[in-house]
């Protein structure tokens, strides 16, 4: 099965023009990739779940820039689930099984080296592997640097360790066919699921899917005041809070 497209599925709600920054960071990192063996195209799918007017305008503007500049193909899907997991499922459902998918939220950014060591392997295309960035950097309200674990830990740690540590963020690259077969649950705590990445990771590990990291790849996550992220609530800042301008400067260095 030949995979010739990577679709960046960007989920948005009321993030407004941060959506443009997210898409531009992906495009910049894609153009900087060093691995010439990855002869695949980049596409964008903006999934707007109960979006604000500004977010809709941002998605239309970014799509026009991408298509008009012949940078990448782009589509917009508007949903009304009011839930990130269900909205992602709807977006994934529209993709060809032979697509690879990059999942990211619209208020996140990727570092310029995100794709520099990214490789399209047979394990990835056949749904046996999910790739995550090696480093997560939180910014705005808190600044936390977190290193995600490579596949080696799965040989020595039990599933219980994954349950207690929640080792992987939802930012990932995986095959569309795999994501269709292991869908995201409702993410609301009142529905029984509080952390969608936690539940997804456990479900795929039970399926025998391997999780690994892309060396040197960084994802920057904005931490809001009312963040429900477990790491944000339990971790303490390692550096002073960073604003978006600081992240832009740092991304160019990385």
């Amino acid at each position: 099965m030949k995979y010739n497209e990577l679709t960046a599925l960007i989920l948005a709600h009321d993030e407004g023009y941060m959506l443009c920054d997210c898409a531009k960071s992906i495009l910049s990192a894609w153009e900087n990739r060093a691995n010439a063996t990855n002869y695949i195209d980049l596409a964008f799918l903006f999934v707007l779940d109960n979006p604000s007017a500004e977010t809709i305008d941002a998605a239309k503007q970014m799509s026009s820039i991408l298509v008009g500049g012949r940078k990448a193909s782009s589509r917009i899907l508007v949903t009304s689930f009011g839930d990130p997991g269900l909205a992602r499922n709807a977006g994934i459902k529209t993709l060809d099984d032979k697509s690879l998918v990059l999942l990211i939220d619209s208020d996140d950014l990727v570092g310029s080296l995100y794709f520099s060591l990214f490789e399209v392997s047979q394990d990835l295309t056949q749904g046996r592997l999910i790739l995550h960035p090696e480093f997560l950097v939180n910014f705005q309200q808190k600044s936390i640097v977190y290193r995600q674990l490579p596949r080696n830990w799965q040989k020595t740690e039990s599933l219980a360790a994954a349950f207690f540590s929640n080792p992987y963020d939802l930012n990932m690259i995986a095959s569309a066919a795999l994501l269709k077969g292991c869908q995201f649950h409702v993410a609301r705590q009142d529905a029984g699921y509080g952390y969608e990445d936690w539940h997804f990771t456990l479900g795929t590990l039970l399926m025998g899917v391997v999780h690994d990291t892309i060396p040197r790849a960084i994802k920057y996550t904005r931490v809001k005041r009312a963040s429900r992220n477990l790491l944000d609530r339990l971790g303490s800042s390692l550096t002073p809070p960073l604003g978006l301008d600081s992240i832009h400067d740092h991304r160019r260095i990385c």
Side-chain angles (χ1 to χ4, degrees):
M1 183 181 292
K2 182 180 179 181
Y3 282 68
N4 54 14
E5 186 172 88
L6 172 69
T7 299
L9 191 160
I10 300 178
L11 179 65
H13 171 53
D14 62 355
E15 291 79 10
Y17 283 89
M18 286 200 73
L19 175 150
C20 297
D21 289 310
C22 175
K24 289 176 181 177
S25 74
I26 294 171
L27 184 61
S28 176
W30 185 255
E31 292 174 343
N32 288 337
R33 71 190 190 282
N35 193 334
T37 63
N38 291 332
Y39 293 112
I40 58 177
D41 296 325
L42 178 66
F44 286 83
L45 172 59
F46 299 101
V47 178
L48 314 181
D49 190 41
N50 287 342
S52 63
E54 185 180 87
T55 302
I56 294 175
D57 288 342
K60 290 180 177 179
Q61 177 180 309
M62 196 65 230
S63 290
S64 178
I65 292 173
L66 291 168
V67 176
R70 297 183 178 180
K71 300 290 187 179
S73 62
S74 178
R75 294 187 294 122
I76 297 174
L77 174 66
V78 179
T79 64
S80 57
F81 294 107
D83 180 83
L86 298 182
R88 285 193 187 91
N89 291 340
I92 293 166
K93 187 178 179 180
T94 68
L95 300 176
D96 190 288
D97 283 356
K98 293 190 292 183
S99 293
L100 294 174
V101 188
L102 165 65
L103 295 180
I104 192 169
D105 292 337
S106 64
D107 53 356
D108 295 342
L109 304 166
V110 302
S112 60
L113 298 181
Y114 193 96
F115 298 109
S116 64
L117 296 178
F118 164 62
E119 295 184 357
V120 180
S121 67
Q122 189 174 40
D123 284 343
L124 181 64
T125 59
Q126 295 188 358
R128 297 192 297 264
L129 174 67
I130 294 175
L131 293 174
H132 304 267
E134 183 177 10
F135 295 101
L136 304 177
V137 178
N138 290 354
F139 69 96
Q140 196 159 309
Q141 295 302 318
K142 285 188 177 181
S143 301
I144 302 172
V145 180
Y146 178 73
R147 184 173 184 266
Q148 301 196 97
L149 299 173
R151 69 169 71 198
N152 294 341
W153 78 272
Q154 295 169 53
K155 298 178 180 179
T156 58
E157 301 291 340
S158 65
L159 192 62
F163 178 82
F164 287 108
S165 64
N166 190 19
Y168 296 108
D169 181 77
L170 205 58
N171 174 228
M172 68 181 76
I173 297 176
S175 72
L178 170 62
L179 295 177
K180 289 179 182 180
C182 188
Q183 296 189 351
F184 297 99
H185 284 268
V186 174
R188 299 189 307 272
Q189 287 185 336
D190 59 4
Y193 301 98
Y195 303 104
E196 52 185 326
D197 51 356
W198 205 329
H199 186 275
F200 179 84
T201 297
L202 290 173
T204 49
L205 287 174
L206 284 169
M207 292 169 57
V209 178
V210 173
H211 290 251
D212 203 357
T213 56
I214 306 170
R216 303 172 69 187
I218 303 173
K219 188 203 77 167
Y220 297 96
T221 300
R222 180 178 65 154
V223 180
K224 304 176 184 178
R225 290 185 183 277
S227 174
R228 295 168 61 188
N229 183 286
L230 187 63
L231 181 63
D232 302 334
R233 288 201 279 176
L234 298 182
S236 59
S237 293
L238 300 181
T239 61
L242 299 172
L244 185 59
D245 291 339
S246 300
I247 290 297
H248 278 311
D249 293 341
H250 184 53
R251 196 178 68 236
R252 284 193 290 269
I253 296 172
C254 292

